[in-house]
Amino acid sequence: MSNILAGLFDHHSDYKKLEADLENSGFRNSDYIVYLDSGHHDAQYLASVAVRDNDQIDNAKNIFSQNSVLKTFLFENMNIEQAHYENLKKYIDARCKAEIHNSPDVKIRASSSGMDSAEVKF
């Protein structure tokens, strides 16, 4: 069974160029889907590509990065027929909620014998 590499793209990137780049690198028209929001012309879009091995994954990732991908997701044991927009969106939402984000720098102060005059503000 194949895998699906999905990518979320910047609204400034051209999906037609992405399609041309995928086809020029050996992917067939039936190997990928570009999901567009017809109501918003400047909206971000999602694309998914059926990949079978690590070489195809690397190839698709390179094409994605050349076309302003914001984030990529690899879904194993999924074929292109299962890559419906709502299905992918559900999996992507679950993965994003499960990610551990970097926390801001935390300053730890050692205990002191109390407040001094520099710490008291009037």
Side-chain angles (χ1 to χ4, degrees):
M1 182 174 260
S2 67
N3 301 321
I4 296 294
L5 181 69
L8 177 63
F9 290 85
D10 189 20
H11 63 277
H12 294 296
S13 73
D14 182 12
Y15 74 91
K16 290 289 189 185
K17 182 181 178 312
L18 173 68
E19 291 175 341
D21 289 348
L22 286 169
E23 290 182 15
N24 289 337
S25 69
F27 291 101
R28 297 181 315 241
N29 188 19
S30 60
D31 290 336
Y32 66 89
I33 302 172
V34 176
Y35 311 90
L36 301 172
D37 184 1
S38 60
H40 300 89
H41 298 291
D42 289 335
Q44 294 175 336
Y45 64 93
L46 182 70
S48 62
V49 180
V51 290
R52 288 167 191 76
D53 56 27
N54 287 337
D55 291 335
Q56 282 190 336
I57 292 170
D58 291 340
N59 188 17
K61 281 184 178 182
N62 288 335
I63 293 168
F64 280 11
S65 66
Q66 293 170 6
N67 286 278
S68 303
V69 72
L70 299 173
K71 185 120 175 131
T72 58
F73 304 90
L74 181 64
F75 300 101
E76 296 179 348
N77 299 322
M78 180 185 284
N79 59 34
I80 199 72
E81 289 82 23
Q82 296 170 320
H84 300 290
Y85 176 75
E86 291 300 323
N87 199 16
L88 285 179
K89 187 176 180 310
K90 179 177 65 173
Y91 289 129
I92 289 171
D93 286 344
R95 282 193 184 175
C96 288
K97 288 178 184 175
E99 279 185 1
I100 298 174
H101 299 282
N102 292 337
S103 63
D105 290 337
V106 177
K107 294 180 182 177
I108 299 174
R109 297 186 81 184
S111 63
S112 65
S113 60
M115 292 178 26
D116 61 14
S117 61
E119 295 176 329
V120 178
K121 295 184 181 183
F122 292 100

